[in-house]
Amino acid sequence: LYHWSANRLLSDSRRCPFQNQKPSAMEIIPPPIVPNDHPPVRFGQVALTEDATVFRHAMNREMMRFFHSLPPSTHTDAVVFCMQHFRTPFFPKFDYFRNYPSPAWSVIHWIGQHFAGRLPPAPEDDRLARTAHAMALFLHPLDDHLNDGQLPATHLHLLLRSQAWLHMHAALERLATRVPEGAALVRGFIDAYYASIGSPTAVPTLEGYSAHFRNQMATGLMVPVLMAKMAAGDAFAAAIETAYQAFGVAWRLLDDLQDMVTDMASGSHSAIYFCLPSAIQKQWDQPSRGDDRARYEAIRSAVKRGGIVDIITVKIRTELTQAASAMDAVQMTGLAEELRCLARPFTEAPDRI
C-alpha cells in the first residue's frame, strides 16, 4: 500500500517561518465551526523542518506496518476506514499524521535531538518509540468514537482497536526496560487514563475540565516521558510532561469550539458546557427532540452574551504560550517554535477570533 503513493512535500504560503529550512505541510482539517457568527477558529500553520517531515513519514510507515499486521482480508477495509472516518490523505502519499497538530507526534523527534552529552537512542529504541506513540495517537480518537457511538462496534473497528492496543503495549513493554521503574510508569499512565475516562469531571469548571483532560490524555504521555527520561533525566521528563499536557488541553479546547453543535446534540459536557450558567446547562442536558432550534438558539445566545468563545480562546493561548516557554527553558527550541506557531492566531489578532 505504501508504494501506491508518490513522494512529495506540500507547501503553504501562510505558514509560520521555522528555522529557515525547507518546509512541509502540517495542518488541521477543521470540521464546521460554530457559533455561526464567529469566523473559523483553528491553530496556526507550522512549517516543519525537513528532518521533522522525514520523521512524520516514519510515523506514517508505522501505521502502514500496523495495517499489514491485520488479517489480509481486512487490509483494504482498514485503509478505507482511515480515509473516510479520519479523512486521512492517501494521494499523493499516505499521510495519517498530517491531520494531527505537529507537536502531537514531533515531540518524539525533538526529544531524539536532545540526547546532548549522552549516547543517542539505539535504532531499536527509536522504532519502539514510533510504534508505541503512533498506536497511542491512533487509539485516542478511536476509543473516543467507539465509546460515544460515532463508530458502531463492528468487527473491523474492534479488530483495529484490539490490534493497536497489542502493538502499543508490546512496544512499551520493551521500551520501558530502558528506564528505571519504566514498567510502573507505564502502568500508572494507563491507570490514570481509564480512571479519568470512566469518571466525570470532579470540579465542574473550565479549569476542572482542563485538569481532568490531563489524565484523559495519559496514554499519549507514555512515550514522550520514557524517551525524555532516557535523554536527560527526570527534570527534563517533567518539563516535557507539563508542556505536552498543556498542548493537549489547548487541542481539546479547540476541538470543543469546533464541535459545539454535535456536542449540544449528544449532550456531551464540553468546555463550552462548563462555562455556561446552570440554567443553560439544564437546556444543554435536555434530550434531543425533533425540533431543537429554540433550545439551540438559547444556548448560542448564552455563549455569545457570556463571551465564552473569547474565554476559551484565551485559555488556548495561555496553554500554548506556557508550553512554549517551558520548552525554551530546557533548550527544546524546535518544539517551542512549533507551539508558538500554533498559538499565533490567538496572539497576533485575537479580536478576529
Side-chain angles (χ1 to χ4, degrees):
L1 290 173
Y2 190 75
H3 295 295
W4 292 359
S5 47
N7 189 8
R8 191 182 89 188
L9 303 182
L10 306 176
S11 61
D12 188 321
S13 60
R14 301 187 322 169
R15 292 187 213 295
C16 173
F18 186 29
Q19 295 187 351
N20 199 31
Q21 295 192 44
K22 182 178 178 179
S24 179
M26 193 297 297
E27 60 197 321
I28 306 293
I29 300 179
I33 310 297
V34 289
N36 292 331
D37 51 353
H38 286 274
V41 181
R42 64 186 70 185
F43 283 144
Q45 297 287 316
V46 175
L48 299 176
T49 66
E50 192 167 0
D51 285 347
T53 299
V54 169
F55 183 83
R56 187 179 79 193
H57 292 313
M59 290 284 286
N60 287 325
R61 287 193 292 274
E62 293 299 327
M63 293 300 300
M64 298 307 295
R65 290 191 186 99
F66 166 63
F67 294 143
H68 281 294
S69 76
L70 301 172
S73 59
T74 68
H75 288 178
T76 300
D77 288 342
V79 174
V80 170
F81 164 76
C82 277
M83 292 172 67
Q84 292 181 340
H85 188 73
F86 293 121
R87 290 178 290 181
T88 300
F90 197 81
F91 298 103
K93 192 177 189 72
F94 175 81
D95 202 354
Y96 177 78
F97 289 102
R98 177 173 175 243
N99 292 344
Y100 283 69
S102 59
W105 51 265
S106 72
V107 61
I108 307 302
H109 163 70
W110 293 116
I111 291 170
Q113 305 298 304
H114 198 76
F115 275 69
R118 301 190 181 202
L119 288 175
E124 174 71 0
D125 293 342
D126 276 341
R127 188 190 64 77
L128 292 171
R130 289 195 306 269
T131 298
H133 199 57
M135 294 301 99
L137 292 178
F138 175 66
L139 279 164
H140 192 86
L142 184 65
D143 273 6
D144 191 42
H145 295 174
L146 282 168
N147 182 66
D148 66 15
Q150 289 187 53
L151 281 174
T154 66
H155 287 88
L156 175 65
H157 300 157
L158 295 177
L159 173 67
L160 290 169
R161 202 273 175 186
S162 60
Q163 282 291 101
W165 188 270
L166 286 172
H167 277 246
M168 180 184 74
H169 199 267
L172 284 169
E173 278 191 323
R174 294 168 64 186
L175 193 64
T177 63
R178 278 58 162 178
V179 175
E181 304 298 325
L185 183 147
V186 168
R187 287 195 300 271
F189 277 128
I190 291 174
D191 185 57
Y193 168 71
Y194 278 107
S196 58
I197 287 293
S199 64
T201 300
V203 180
T205 63
L206 180 60
E207 289 302 323
Y209 174 80
S210 300
H212 191 65
F213 183 71
R214 283 174 162 80
N215 286 324
Q216 290 183 329
M217 63 176 289
T219 51
L221 289 163
M222 294 185 292
V223 176
V225 171
L226 285 173
M227 293 299 286
K229 283 178 177 287
M230 292 167 61
D234 291 347
F236 179 64
I240 291 290
E241 183 174 354
T242 297
Y244 198 72
Q245 285 179 325
F247 154 72
V249 167
W251 188 10
R252 179 55 178 259
L253 297 179
L254 178 67
D255 189 62
D256 286 353
L257 288 178
Q258 294 174 336
D259 289 350
M260 187 176 115
V261 165
T262 54
D263 288 340
M264 280 194 295
S266 66
S268 300
H269 288 183
S270 68
I272 293 172
Y273 174 89
F274 289 109
C275 294
L276 290 167
S278 58
I280 303 298
Q281 287 179 345
K282 290 178 182 176
Q283 293 194 52
W284 184 292
D285 287 333
Q286 289 175 7
S288 183
R289 292 187 285 269
D291 187 355
D292 284 320
R293 283 177 294 182
R295 181 168 69 95
Y296 285 3
E297 285 307 315
I299 295 171
R300 289 180 193 229
S301 295
V303 168
K304 187 173 183 178
R305 287 195 310 271
I308 289 173
V309 171
D310 292 335
I311 291 170
I312 293 174
T313 54
V314 167
K315 176 70 171 169
I316 292 171
R317 179 173 71 239
T318 299
E319 294 288 348
L320 290 174
T321 54
Q322 288 180 349
S325 295
M327 290 298 88
D328 277 331
V330 291
Q331 291 77 53
M332 287 278 283
T333 54
L335 183 56
E337 185 64 19
E338 287 187 14
L339 292 162
R340 277 191 289 270
C341 286
L342 294 185
R344 184 153 293 180
F346 307 97
T347 56
E348 290 189 342
D351 56 308
R352 296 174 57 193
I353 294 174

